[in-house]
Amino acid sequence: MFIATLKFADRSRASQLMEGHNSWLRRGFDDGVFLLAGSLQPGLGGVILAHNLSKADLEARVLEDPFVAEGVVTAEILDIAPARADERLAFLKG
């Protein structure tokens, strides 16, 4: 499981690329890879919880995000090995 942070580096083109970024997010959810996406507060960027793929595959996927490709955000991927989870999230323990 991974947490990807997407922190703003240059907001000047964010509105122009928002549609492509949202399509990229939608594809991640449709593929069953993204479990959660949301904003880093206060307005610092975004975060994605991802699973069911390798780190290399997630890195490649993140590079396809128009925000990343165009330098609107910088991405960091954190690899998490879940050890405990609420029953509702037990599927994340693999």
Side-chain angles (χ1 to χ4, degrees), residues 10-30:
D10 177 10
R11 294 176 191 237
S12 65
R13 299 193 47 222
S15 61
Q16 297 170 328
L17 299 167
M18 186 61 75
E19 186 175 332
H21 172 70
N22 285 333
S23 292
W24 174 81
L25 282 170
R26 194 168 26 262
R27 190 168 57 252
F29 281 102
D30 290 348

Side-chain angles (χ1 to χ4, degrees), residues 1 8-9 27 38 47 49 53 63 68 70 75 78 82-83 91-92:
M1 181 171 66
F8 282 117
R27 190 168 57 252
V47 66
L49 180 63
L53 76 171
L63 290 174
V68 174
E70 296 295 327
L78 305 171
F91 70 97
L92 294 174

Side-chain angles (χ1 to χ4, degrees), residues 43-59:
L44 300 175
V47 66
I48 298 164
L49 180 63
H51 77 141
N52 283 343
L53 76 171
S54 69
K55 186 171 184 180
D57 288 342
L58 180 57
E59 288 169 343

Side-chain angles (χ1 to χ4, degrees), residues 28-92:
F29 281 102
D30 290 348
D31 292 346
V33 171
F34 295 167
L35 296 172
L36 174 140
S39 297
L40 286 173
Q41 298 301 316
L44 300 175
V47 66
I48 298 164
L49 180 63
H51 77 141
N52 283 343
L53 76 171
S54 69
K55 186 171 184 180
D57 288 342
L58 180 57
E59 288 169 343
R61 185 180 285 261
V62 165
L63 290 174
E64 295 173 357
D65 178 1
F67 275 11
V68 174
E70 296 295 327
V72 172
V73 298
T74 57
E76 180 181 8
I77 297 173
L78 305 171
D79 191 341
I80 298 175
R84 291 184 179 188
D86 181 279
E87 240 179 64
R88 296 166 290 181
L89 300 175
F91 70 97
L92 294 174

